Amino acid sequence: MCHLTHYSQITGDRFRFNRARSYIRNIVREIVLARREESSKSKEAPTDGHADFLTALLQDPTFDDPMLIRDILVTLLFAGRDNTQNVLAWGLYALMGAPEWVDRLRAEAEANKIQGQELQYTDLTVRTPVYRSIARC
């Protein structure tokens, strides 16, 4: 492996990689900061606006560091597909072996959705101890 390190120093691959990584991180950071400012100006709960993962992270007080949010989004962008796919597959497999937890999740989701509307991702960001305990496993 040592020879690969020297090779990248000679060819400049490491420099190009670090520059490209910084470029992507800066783009995502700007998006996070812009969306954070947009949500701080609007004191109302977003009903018509964005209903995506970034909005859910920004609304969760656990994620108060914009650089943490940036890192999460960059990780999902580059490494998320395979890792997330594997975690979801194993998680769903384990969940199917415990139907009582599926019932608890369903009941919790139904209790949090807005009446007369389809369940939205943002509905799962509040009062969801069952969902959060499963998602952390």
Side-chain angles (χ1 to χ4, degrees):
M1 288 279 187
C2 184
H3 69 282
L4 292 177
T5 304
H6 295 299
Y7 175 78
S8 67
Q9 290 174 351
I10 294 170
T11 62
D13 287 345
R14 180 177 292 171
F15 173 75
R16 284 192 294 275
F17 171 77
N18 286 337
R19 187 175 60 193
R21 182 177 60 182
S22 292
Y23 178 75
I24 294 297
R25 283 182 171 174
N26 285 333
I27 289 172
V28 175
R29 181 178 58 84
E30 292 301 320
I31 292 169
V32 169
L33 292 174
R35 186 77 72 79
R36 187 176 194 200
E37 185 173 331
E38 176 185 307
S39 67
S40 70
K41 287 180 181 177
S42 171
K43 300 297 181 197
E44 302 171 4
T47 54
D48 299 345
H50 303 285
D52 55 27
F53 187 58
L54 175 55
T55 302
L57 288 175
L58 289 169
Q59 291 173 350
D60 189 336
T62 308
F63 300 100
D64 63 345
D65 180 9
M67 295 309 104
L68 173 63
I69 295 173
R70 178 211 60 193
D71 291 344
I72 290 169
L73 294 174
V74 169
T75 300
L76 286 174
L77 180 64
F78 288 105
R81 187 181 69 104
D82 292 336
N83 295 338
T84 303
Q85 187 176 18
N86 288 332
V87 167
L88 285 174
W90 280 107
L92 290 173
Y93 175 78
L95 197 56
M96 292 299 104
E100 66 277 6
W101 281 96
V102 174
D103 293 339
R104 290 177 73 181
L105 277 171
R106 185 176 293 117
E108 184 175 81
E110 288 293 327
N112 283 306
K113 83 175 190 176
I114 297 170
Q115 293 296 333
Q117 294 183 9
E118 288 189 30
L119 184 66
Q120 300 293 318
Y121 182 80
T122 54
D123 297 334
L124 299 176
T125 60
V126 293
R127 300 179 318 276
T128 54
V130 176
Y131 167 75
R132 288 176 186 263
S133 65
I134 290 173
R136 288 185 180 143
C137 293

